Amino acid sequence: MILTPAKLVFRTGLAGLLLLVVMAGCLLIGSQDISLQKVLQGPSIEGVPNSDYEILVGVRLPRIILAAIVGAALACSGVVFQAILRNPLADPYILGVSSGAGLGSIVAVLLGWTWTFWGLSALMVASFIGAMGTVWLVWSIGRVTGRVHVTGLLLAGVVVNALFSAVIMFLASIAGAKKFQTTMLWLMGSFAELDKMAPLLASGVVVVLGILFILMLGNHLNILSFGREDARSLGVSIERTCFLAFGCAALITSVAVSFSGLIGFVGLIVPHAVRLVAGPDHRQLIPLSALVGAAFLVIADAVARIVVAPAMLPVGVVTAMTGGPFFLILLIRYTKTIHWGQS
Amino acid sequence: MSFIKIHDVTFGYEHQPVLKALSLAVEKNSFWAIVGPNGSGKSTFLNLLSGQLKPQRGTIHIDDKPVASFSTRRLAGVLSMVRQEFVPVFGFSVRQAVMMARFYKRKTALFEESDDIEAVESALAATDTMAFADRPLRTLSGGERQRVFIARALAQETPILLLDEPTCHLDLKHQVRIFDLLRQMQVEQGKTVLLVTHDINLACQYCDRVLLLGADGTYFQGNPEDVLDSQRIEGVFHVKGYQGLVCREKFFIPLGNFSKDRPKE
């Protein structure tokens, strides 16, 4: 039952294949029927622009790629938070990290910061600062309420989440009616606003690098889930590991949030499902969660596009509607079987 | 020259001093029992040795180097620790948990080598845990889990082994087995073993040396036969009892107000 490189590569390959199939499938479905044959004829047919090609390559493809990037980022940072907080109920959305990133983004928008640098925008930087600040805040509050007591941390996250969401609403309200509308849509999580490929590529690279770096911490995370004392006597430097893992998780979360707003529960459901099938080893959990999370969000986005077509649901509504009940079931199950915290 | 040198160590929690000016020299390849009433600082003592706590006064040296100067990873190669409490979070299996002992030996590699697997298998065999090696930890009984954590400490292959009440959930057979195993590790692999226990009789049977921690920071150290005599036990634990000798084994039976023989005034 020991993980070998061959096993890991095989399983990751399988999940990667699944993701590709899902992406290809979702590329072909939508509110508008398009024919694959017509698409293959290129951007224009005899001088007339090919509308099917335009929809598929210009609209759906970037949207699906973005959904995959965001899904991978959120699922992977869910894994990190669950491991370090030793709590299967942790997730960047529930802990308020997403809304911290969101607050950063909003502030950047209101202050009119619009510079970009190699596809990385001021928006991303601001939301990264927001996310890191929230991790620090939640961690310190949780620390005060007891030696990194999980319940305290979760409560701190819930409160911070509510507070930041309220501040975001407030900022949006004073910014004017039109901005309020778009902000609300963005708050619920949506992939609608995307027109360029360059920022997509840049953020894709950042997220993939972040996930690979977290993967290198796989053994550390395995050991940390046994508690700080144990981790220390097994040779894991706790401060360093927490700093690196939280940093990476906050980074990829903020990239996701700056693009698509607050999408909840992906970081909660996906690691759980993967753990049920593939076991708790983080070296495997991290890449598999990233790929499955990507596939999950691509599907959720397809649902959001189709259900009320020609209008569109924010994808966050779809994930929250599936994730909320799931969270409750988990909460009931775990309070029964686990003694909370240091029992 | 002693292997672990504890000099003038003082440590206390907020309003309560626990250890006062404790000095101790632990020889290489010796087997120590640390006994004493609840709250006398037995676990604190182990945590000071393992670097989890820092003494408020005094120094602790291992192999002539201060404990504080070891990096976390290097210290993991010197001491292994078996703790009492364990809170299961994710469903790691026994084998996966024992394999974590090998972490410090690998630099950045993500995967185990064949010598890691060998060490884990022999630790599982030595602790009689092979039968449930692939079961999740949380499905085991307290005693089985205790043996798994001892297996993990063995797989860590450290010269020093610290154990906090390793036999507290175990039945008689497994209590004796664990002490046999620790003694075997001491003799065959030259390990230095320090264990906290409430079982004075087993400590007397197996250990070379005893550290008896009393209330208010008093302590006694020496051979088990000398330290654990009935008068001192009665003084430190505030309990009367019979002390006896069968062949070469010394034992102590505590007596209470409602036992068949009542303690004499």
Side-chain angles (χ1 to χ4, degrees), chain B residues 3-49:
Chain B
F3 190 35
I4 307 175
K5 206 149 70 192
I6 296 149
H7 178 68
D8 195 29
V9 161
T10 295
F11 187 88
Y13 298 102
E14 266 174 57
H15 301 291
Q16 187 193 6
V18 180
L19 302 173
K20 264 191 223 155
L22 178 80
S23 291
L24 198 69
V26 174
E27 297 298 320
K28 202 165 198 149
N29 199 12
S30 58
F31 191 161
W32 281 74
I34 296 137
V35 296
N38 294 333
S40 58
K42 304 185 293 295
S43 301
T44 304
F45 177 75
L46 287 194
N47 284 331
L48 285 166
L49 271 190

Side-chain angles (χ1 to χ4, degrees), chain A residues 188-339:
Chain A
M188 287 186 274
S190 125
F191 293 127
E193 308 216 2
L194 183 79
D195 40 13
K196 279 189 232 96
M197 265 321 233
L200 201 58
L201 282 179
S203 60
V205 169
V206 171
V207 167
V208 168
L209 287 180
I211 291 173
L212 286 179
F213 198 82
I214 293 172
L215 177 62
M216 294 314 293
L217 294 172
N219 280 312
H220 300 69
L221 295 178
N222 281 344
I223 294 175
L224 260 177
S225 71
F226 275 71
R228 315 185 117 223
E229 284 86 5
D230 255 20
R232 229 195 107 120
S233 48
L234 292 175
V236 173
S237 162
I238 292 151
E239 288 76 19
R240 202 174 132 255
T241 307
C242 285
F243 179 76
L244 290 176
F246 274 145
C248 280
L251 175 69
I252 59 180
T253 303
S254 57
V255 169
V257 169
S258 67
F259 266 110
S260 57
L262 307 189
I263 297 173
F265 297 104
V266 179
L268 180 80
I269 305 177
V270 172
H272 259 286
V274 174
R275 216 180 271 123
L276 277 179
V277 177
D281 192 329
H282 284 87
R283 291 171 294 181
Q284 180 168 278
L285 191 57
I286 290 161
L288 291 189
S289 292
L291 292 167
V292 174
F296 174 72
L297 210 53
V298 169
I299 293 174
D301 181 52
V303 172
R305 278 187 290 145
I306 294 162
V307 166
V308 291
M312 276 186 205
L313 271 179
V315 68
V317 171
V318 178
T319 60
M321 275 164 73
T322 45
F326 189 83
F327 179 81
L328 282 180
I329 294 168
L330 284 180
L331 190 68
I332 293 164
R333 236 187 82 200
Y334 278 99
T335 34
K336 269 188 193 152
T337 54
I338 285 187
H339 305 285

Side-chain angles (χ1 to χ4, degrees), chain A residues 38 42-54:
Chain A
K38 209 173 153 205
S44 65
I45 309 164
E46 292 158 7
V48 185
N50 183 347
S51 65
D52 282 18
Y53 180 91
E54 184 48 39

Side-chain angles (χ1 to χ4, degrees), chain B residues 62-103:
Chain B
I62 295 177
D63 227 358
D64 260 345
K65 289 182 277 290
V67 167
S69 74
F70 285 85
S71 70
T72 314
R73 200 181 272 262
R74 245 186 85 213
L75 199 59
V78 179
L79 316 146
S80 52
M81 179 105 170
V82 177
R83 251 169 260 281
Q84 289 175 52
E85 83 279 8
F86 163 70
V87 187
V89 180
F90 304 121
F92 283 105
S93 74
V94 168
R95 188 175 267 119
Q96 285 173 319
V98 175
M99 190 58 95
M100 289 177 193
R102 309 292 295 176
F103 168 79

